[in-house]
Each structure stands twice: as structure tokens, then as C-alpha cells.
Amino acid sequence: MRKLSLILLMVILCIGQTYAQSPDDQIKVLQKCIDLKELQDYLPGKSTQPLYVMQHGVSFDKDIKVLKNGKPLVFLSKQDVKSRHLEAYFLFWTFEINEKTARVSFVYNYDQNQSQKAVRANLELNKQGSEWTVTTVAINKI
């Protein structure tokens, strides 16, 4: 009976986690990360090149629709990032969304073929209605 209760509790937690991280909320929170004002100096301006996200640590659905400069994000495996020798890419470590709050941490690696620079970002967001607002930002150049 105890095992059944534990299994039931785990199923309920998984369902709650799935509900909390709806695809729409994931898209909106991820877009807020990409559009973060404090990050824009490190991104490639109005480039025609897409932004890349390494699917390691946190993985996203490859069909998620987040745009930067009119181009969708490109989601790649760790092996693909290494084999392509990308100049820049995002690596998300934490991406937790609850009903009204979100917590995200990521590293944006840039200039990887020259001096291997990176910026680490930690964000907290609140949801009011259907809109997400960044409430706390910490940016550290590595």
C-alpha cells in the first residue's frame, strides 16, 4: 500500500509539473530570456544567423516557436554544437515554471572560436494574467 501511495504521489507531481510548464508559458519565458535587455550587447546584432540553444542541462521541444531578428531559435545536441564549432550558443541550466513564477539560469557562450567568453544570467519572473514579467536579473560576465 505504501508503494502504491508513493507511485500515486509521483504521478500527481509529474502531472502538476507538466501543467505548470505549459508550452505557451515555456515560449513566453524563453522569449523573455532571449530578449533580455542586459544580454543584447553580447548577441549578434541584426544578424541573419539564427541563435542556437544547446539541448543539454535543460532540453526544449524542437518545435517551440521563439524568434530573434525574425529567425527561429535552433536547438542542437551537445555533439552538434561541438561538431559545428559554433561561435555562440545558449546553455540553460534551470528552467522552472510554476503557476505564477519562473526561475531560469543560463549561460550564453560567445566568441567561442577566439577567446571563449560567456555571460551567465539568473532570472526570476512573475506571471500576471497571461503575461510574464522579469522581476529579478543577475548578469555576470565569465
Side-chain angles (χ1 to χ4, degrees):
M1 185 67 171
R2 183 179 172 125
K3 285 185 181 180
L4 182 59
S5 296
L6 288 173
I7 291 171
L8 182 59
L9 179 63
M10 290 180 71
V11 168
I12 290 170
L13 288 173
C14 289
I15 290 170
Q17 183 74 3
T18 301
Y19 171 75
Q21 285 198 16
S22 74
D24 188 50
D25 285 337
Q26 285 183 347
I27 290 168
K28 288 178 180 180
V29 170
L30 185 54
Q31 188 72 59
K32 290 287 184 181
C33 294
I34 302 302
D35 292 339
L36 192 64
K37 179 183 69 165
E38 294 86 348
L39 187 64
Q40 299 312 301
D41 289 341
Y42 303 101
L43 298 178
K46 297 286 185 192
S47 174
T48 59
Q49 179 179 330
L51 292 179
Y52 297 95
V53 177
M54 182 191 291
Q55 297 278 54
H56 182 74
V58 173
S59 292
F60 298 95
D61 182 348
K62 289 185 178 188
D63 295 329
I64 198 166
K65 301 291 185 229
V66 175
L67 302 174
K68 185 64 177 177
N69 297 328
K71 302 277 184 196
L73 297 182
V74 176
F75 299 94
L76 300 172
S77 70
K78 183 177 182 178
Q79 183 61 35
D80 287 339
V81 169
K82 287 184 177 190
S83 67
R84 290 184 183 198
H85 303 287
L86 293 178
E87 183 72 16
Y89 60 90
F90 285 90
L91 175 58
F92 286 82
W93 291 107
T94 305
F95 200 85
E96 299 171 354
I97 300 175
N98 297 311
E99 192 173 327
K100 296 286 183 190
T101 62
R103 196 170 61 95
V104 180
S105 66
F106 64 87
V107 175
Y108 178 66
N109 298 286
Y110 65 99
D111 203 16
Q112 292 299 291
N113 296 329
Q114 297 294 322
S115 58
Q116 297 185 345
K117 297 176 184 174
V119 176
R120 181 175 180 95
N122 294 300
L123 288 78
E124 292 180 8
L125 301 95
N126 284 333
K127 184 178 182 183
Q128 292 185 345
S130 63
E131 293 302 314
W132 286 94
T133 304
V134 177
T135 57
T136 305
V137 178
I139 298 282
N140 297 309
K141 191 171 178 181
I142 301 172

